[in-house]
Amino acid sequence: MLEGLNESIRPDRRFTVKIALAGLALVVAAAIGVGLVFRFVADERARELRGWQARLGLTADSRAAAV
């Protein structure tokens, strides 16, 4: 396919490998970022649940004391 191209416009193999490595690095960075986002969301959900449990515990204690 590239046999008829002039040598000056034929892609260099080193350039192609560099582009492939940059693409791979971008994909790996994106995967790590997505994983970190999911971990952050799970941690925030757990923190919010602990807050609700504390509030409900206080409400239950105050109702028990009122009875």
Side-chain angles (χ1 to χ4, degrees):
M1 180 174 181
L2 297 176
E3 295 86 18
L5 290 177
N6 187 351
E7 284 295 319
S8 64
I9 59 172
R10 182 178 247 177
D12 187 16
R13 183 167 174 82
R14 287 176 288 169
F15 179 72
T16 305
V17 170
K18 286 180 183 179
I19 294 294
L21 287 176
L24 179 64
L26 182 63
V27 168
V28 168
I32 290 171
V34 168
L36 289 174
V37 166
F38 277 117
R39 189 168 120 194
F40 174 75
V41 168
D43 289 346
E44 287 298 308
R45 187 173 289 147
R47 184 182 65 82
E48 193 65 29
L49 180 62
R50 284 190 304 271
W52 270 106
Q53 288 171 343
R55 275 181 246 142
L56 289 175
L58 288 172
T59 302
D61 289 344
S62 68
R63 299 290 168 104
V67 170

